[in-house]
Amino acid sequence: MTWNHSQPSRRTVLGGAAVAALAAATSGVSVAHAASAAPARAAWPAEFPLPDGFLPEGITIGRRPYAYMGSRANGAVYRTDLRTGEGRVIHEGAAGTVAVGLKLDEDGLLYVAGGGGGSARVVDSRTGELVTTYQLTDSTGHFINDVILLGDRAWFTDSRDAVLYGVPRGRAGEVRRLPLTGDWVQTPNVNNANGIVGTPDGRGLIVVSSSPGRLYHVDLKSGHATEIALAGAADVANGDGLLRIGRTLYVVQNRLNLISVYDLDAQAPAATLRRTVTDPRFDVPTTVARWADRLYLVNARFTSPQTPETTFNGVAVPL
């Protein structure tokens, strides 16, 4: 299945470069603006509600202060204004669908992992309309869990199979199937590949295997996976969502109610634990996204009843 959507125009690219140049030329103004913006952000809510029974899993934030979260209940997408904590459903989903990990691109498209249904969906964040659906796997025996945008593809993990899937972005094309080889260990009947990010050099991927809790560097050409040697911790058990900022890797360890923060080597063959982050408001957080000087997470509450009456929320912690 293919679909067409234009890449950002040359005018957009040049316009962005001009803005960046202007910011560099007026650094005094930029610094002053940043200083005044920080106290304003401090007044933003550090916790916000989600609809009862929403069953959240993924969270993504783009260039504007809006968080988008997916529902395991029916594949809906909810958007929250981080400045006020208020939100609404922008994509209604449908019975039998799931929205797990998701990422927002610069064109306003949301790439959504479809969980046990084996699909990947593309949703227009501005209209809430479903753009297209890719059926990546059979509808049983797989779990399309998380996604990262890298270059001209959105890369999806399958927690029940040693394969990554590269969905084309912004142009017609075929889905690329990338089997994982090398050091990769596929453990039966548990979640393996989960969170995924690009490497610092942009040439590969970092994937966390939730059970038994390992990080891997994956070569994009061959699928060869090299286990990342950890210093300061034995593993990343219950590793779920990943976030990379420069050479700093944030690993959400869901049932441990913990974020482990690692320093990556340049080529990502090793990672050193710098610190851990926890908070009394964590209730099995699954994924994490950044806005300014905060990390935002959703509480999946896997250890609580998953009913239509169960309450859910998102929380923020300092970066």
Side-chain angles (χ1 to χ4, degrees):
M1 181 179 298
T2 61
W3 63 282
N4 293 286
H5 193 90
S6 61
Q7 291 277 24
S9 67
R10 177 176 171 82
R11 178 179 298 176
T12 301
V13 174
L14 292 177
V19 170
L22 178 60
T26 58
S27 58
V29 175
S30 299
V31 170
H33 181 268
S36 64
R41 284 197 301 269
W44 293 8
E47 184 173 342
F48 54 85
L50 295 170
D52 291 354
F54 190 71
L55 307 186
E57 170 80 10
I59 182 171
T60 185
I61 301 171
R63 291 185 173 182
R64 301 180 65 194
Y66 296 98
Y68 297 82
M69 292 145 287
S71 169
R72 290 177 286 114
N74 60 3
V77 176
Y78 190 85
R79 185 181 75 179
T80 293
D81 187 328
L82 300 178
R83 297 165 295 186
T84 64
E86 297 177 354
R88 64 181 180 89
V89 172
I90 64 161
H91 175 67
E92 295 291 341
T97 63
V98 171
V100 197
L102 68 171
K103 289 294 183 295
L104 178 67
D105 78 2
E106 295 178 354
D107 282 344
L109 296 180
L110 286 162
Y111 291 79
V112 184
S119 68
R121 302 196 307 278
V122 182
V123 173
D124 191 321
S125 67
R126 296 155 296 194
T127 66
E129 294 181 358
L130 177 66
V131 176
T132 194
T133 299
Y134 294 90
Q135 193 62 41
L136 303 180
T137 70
D138 294 338
S139 59
T140 59
H142 297 270
F143 193 86
I144 305 302
N145 201 332
D146 210 348
V147 56
I148 190 64
L149 307 180
L150 184 65
D152 62 356
R153 293 187 182 271
W155 288 96
F156 291 83
T157 57
D158 183 348
S159 293
R160 297 297 173 123
D161 197 6
V163 179
L164 303 179
Y165 294 90
V167 169
R169 297 172 58 198
R171 61 176 177 81
E174 299 297 322
V175 173
R176 182 183 172 198
R177 188 176 184 272
L178 185 67
L180 297 172
T181 61
D183 294 341
W184 186 266
V185 175
Q186 186 72 16
T187 306
N189 304 317
V190 296
N191 280 346
N192 289 257
N194 198 330
I196 182 171
V197 293
T199 55
D201 62 9
R203 298 178 180 176
L205 297 165
I206 297 172
V207 179
V208 63
S209 178
S210 299
S211 303
R214 297 172 179 167
L215 290 169
Y216 294 91
H217 171 274
V218 178
D219 184 279
L220 272 174
K221 292 183 179 179
S222 65
H224 187 278
T226 302
E227 184 174 354
I228 296 175
L230 302 180
D235 56 42
V236 285
N238 300 121
D240 201 326
L242 301 181
L243 172 69
R244 183 185 59 78
I245 303 173
R247 285 169 54 179
T248 301
L249 181 69
Y250 297 82
V251 183
V252 181
Q253 294 174 260
N254 53 35
R255 293 176 186 264
L256 302 182
N257 289 316
L258 192 70
I259 306 172
S260 292
V261 185
Y262 286 87
D263 287 330
L264 293 169
D265 285 0
Q267 302 299 321
T272 301
L273 182 65
R274 182 205 303 172
R275 60 189 174 96
T276 58
V277 179
T278 189
D279 190 281
R281 297 168 300 153
F282 286 179
D283 194 349
V284 194
T286 44
T287 50
V288 59
R290 175 196 183 184
W291 177 262
D293 55 358
R294 286 180 170 184
L295 299 175
Y296 287 86
L297 305 95
V298 287
N299 283 318
R301 307 195 68 192
F302 289 147
T303 56
S304 300
Q306 306 282 284
T307 72
E309 292 75 36
T310 303
T311 59
F312 292 95
N313 68 347
V315 297
V317 294
L319 182 65

